[in-house]
Amino acid sequence: MTPPRPRRRRPAPRRRRIVVALGGNAIQRSHDHGTWTEAVRRMREAAAALATIATPDVELVVTHGNGPQVGALLREAELGAREVPAPPLHVLGAETEGQIGYLIAQELGSALERTGRVVVPVVSRTAVSARDPAFHHPTKPVGRFYPAAEAERLRRTLGWTLAEDRSRGGWRRLVPSPRPLRWLEGEAIAAMLDLGAGSRVVFVVAGGGGIPVVRRAARWEGVDAVIDKDLGAALVAAAIGAETLAIVTDVPAAAVGFGSSGARWLGATSPVELGRLLRHGEFPPGSMGPKVEAGLAFLRSGGRRFVITDFPSLAEGVAGRAGTRVGFPS
Ligand code: ADP
Ligand code: MG
């Protein structure tokens, strides 16, 4: 009688782990009013594109921006402050992770239902350094525009930093945008993915780059700052050992000479070339700059591939055939 063959534990199938970072336009376009109905419509389109890349060989993790949403909550808090105490900015950040996580769960959840995957949003915190120089130099505009006199009053009474935006004819509050150092929930999510959760679950994490927290007296404390969602996405991708970081925005690629008549889309490229163009000012801070920086940071931390593209090109982008991309076989 032949001895029973030792049962081999079948190794979990190797899947490509992809982090997709959704830009604000996945939820709200510039001419939208910010209604829930619009947000659902936008997200439904985004979800259809995301569903095309959620093939059985792919583990998908989603992160997203929150600029317009946090701006709306700030305004709401400001108007309601006489009756309801205004929450600090970090709490509003947590609220946006809830509302956008819910939106993605509804729409992407429905789009993925037949694949047996469940969308699980995770309220996420991101550690920053209390000594980050950004706390002395706020740079990130948030909320609405104020007339000059009102801006002056807010500076005096609340100690806000405000900057004038001449093109929009008003003053806007600036808040610090410190460098994200560690995504606190990252280890737990990475462990679940390593146990195979990615075949059944799409985690939605670190919305708005995560809620900024600092370590003080052996505790975590929320701080009034915002984290760049692209840099947050790079941190997420590194924390879970993703193969690919895909940054989805409203242009099909990064361009050289953007906005000029000689502009050209950048396709397959290299970190050296991107670094050079970044230093030459081709990718401005606050829009394309952080996306390129995030891609480069991800590669430095051991990531293999990244791509910047839009929803219509997403499937081609993660296949290495569209978008501004590094690390795909040519
Ligand atoms: P998101 O909400 O997706 O983060 P952003 O508005 O922050 O989007 O960044 C995308 C925008 O960056 C584009 O709509 C475009 O107007 C702008 N942009 C600036 N420089 C470039 C460039 N070199 N190539 C492509 N887009 C650029
Ligand atoms: Mg942006």
Side-chain angles (χ1 to χ4, degrees):
M1 218 170 79
T2 50
R5 275 202 298 169
R7 279 250 307 278
R8 258 202 304 166
R9 258 191 52 223
R10 206 182 292 174
R14 280 199 70 76
R15 285 181 288 261
R16 302 175 57 202
R17 200 169 281 178
I18 302 181
V19 171
V20 181
L22 309 182
N25 66 297
I27 309 157
Q28 190 172 334
R29 305 264 164 90
S30 49
H31 53 268
D32 282 352
H33 298 93
T35 65
W36 183 250
T37 313
E38 283 166 344
V40 169
R41 196 182 320 128
R42 299 284 178 230
M43 190 54 71
R44 200 164 291 175
E45 291 168 20
L50 287 168
T52 64
I53 65 166
T55 47
D57 60 320
V58 163
E59 296 179 357
L60 196 61
V61 172
V62 175
T63 181
H64 59 83
N66 71 347
Q69 292 74 26
V70 90
L73 290 180
L74 269 172
R75 181 67 179 141
E76 213 177 285
E78 194 178 355
L79 289 173
R82 259 198 270 175
E83 286 192 21
V84 184
L89 186 56
H90 54 94
V91 175
L92 300 183
E95 288 183 29
T96 65
E97 285 190 340
Q99 74 180 61
I100 300 169
Y102 163 52
L103 178 65
I104 298 175
Q106 295 273 89
E107 295 309 319
L108 185 58
S110 304
L112 294 181
E113 214 161 65
R114 51 179 178 73
T115 73
R117 292 190 208 202
V118 178
V119 176
V120 177
V122 178
V123 172
S124 303
R125 297 163 299 161
T126 301
V128 301
S129 166
R131 288 191 300 272
D132 193 303
F135 286 109
H136 300 289
H137 302 282
T139 52
K140 192 90 178 169
V142 292
R144 71 176 184 107
F145 290 84
Y146 299 93
E150 177 78 358
E152 184 47 38
R153 192 187 62 79
L154 291 165
R155 195 193 323 269
R156 261 199 338 269
T157 55
L158 301 179
W160 286 7
T161 304
L162 296 103
E164 187 175 18
D165 183 339
R166 280 171 206 269
S167 67
R168 306 279 289 269
W171 292 71
R172 229 173 153 200
R173 180 180 177 190
L174 296 180
V175 296
S177 188
R179 199 162 60 87
L181 299 178
R182 185 157 80 90
W183 165 37
L184 298 191
E185 288 71 23
E187 273 166 47
I189 303 296
M192 285 191 269
L193 290 172
D194 290 346
L195 288 169
S199 64
R200 300 293 310 280
V201 182
V202 174
F203 291 109
V204 179
V205 303
I211 305 157
V213 295
V214 299
R215 193 80 180 158
R216 271 194 202 114
R219 304 181 60 260
W220 292 106
E221 249 177 53
V223 283
D224 277 352
V226 296
I227 292 174
D228 183 87
K229 77 107 185 8
D230 296 313
L231 299 183
L235 194 63
V236 163
I240 62 170
E243 178 216 63
T244 301
L245 170 61
I247 299 182
V248 186
T249 183
D250 56 356
V251 285
V256 178
F258 184 74
S260 76
S261 58
R264 65 177 174 89
W265 299 120
L266 199 58
T269 180
S270 70
V272 171
E273 176 72 351
L274 282 176
R276 191 180 65 78
L277 294 168
L278 189 64
R279 283 192 301 278
H280 282 211
E282 293 286 349
F283 313 125
S287 60
M288 194 47 75
K291 297 183 203 328
V292 171
E293 281 176 36
L296 294 174
F298 174 57
L299 296 181
R300 278 197 305 274
S301 66
R304 277 179 65 191
R305 301 169 173 176
F306 91 87
V307 56
I308 300 169
T309 192
D310 58 8
F311 281 114
S313 301
L314 179 59
E316 287 287 286
V318 299
R321 290 189 296 262
T324 297
R325 56 198 186 271
V326 174
F328 291 89
S330 49

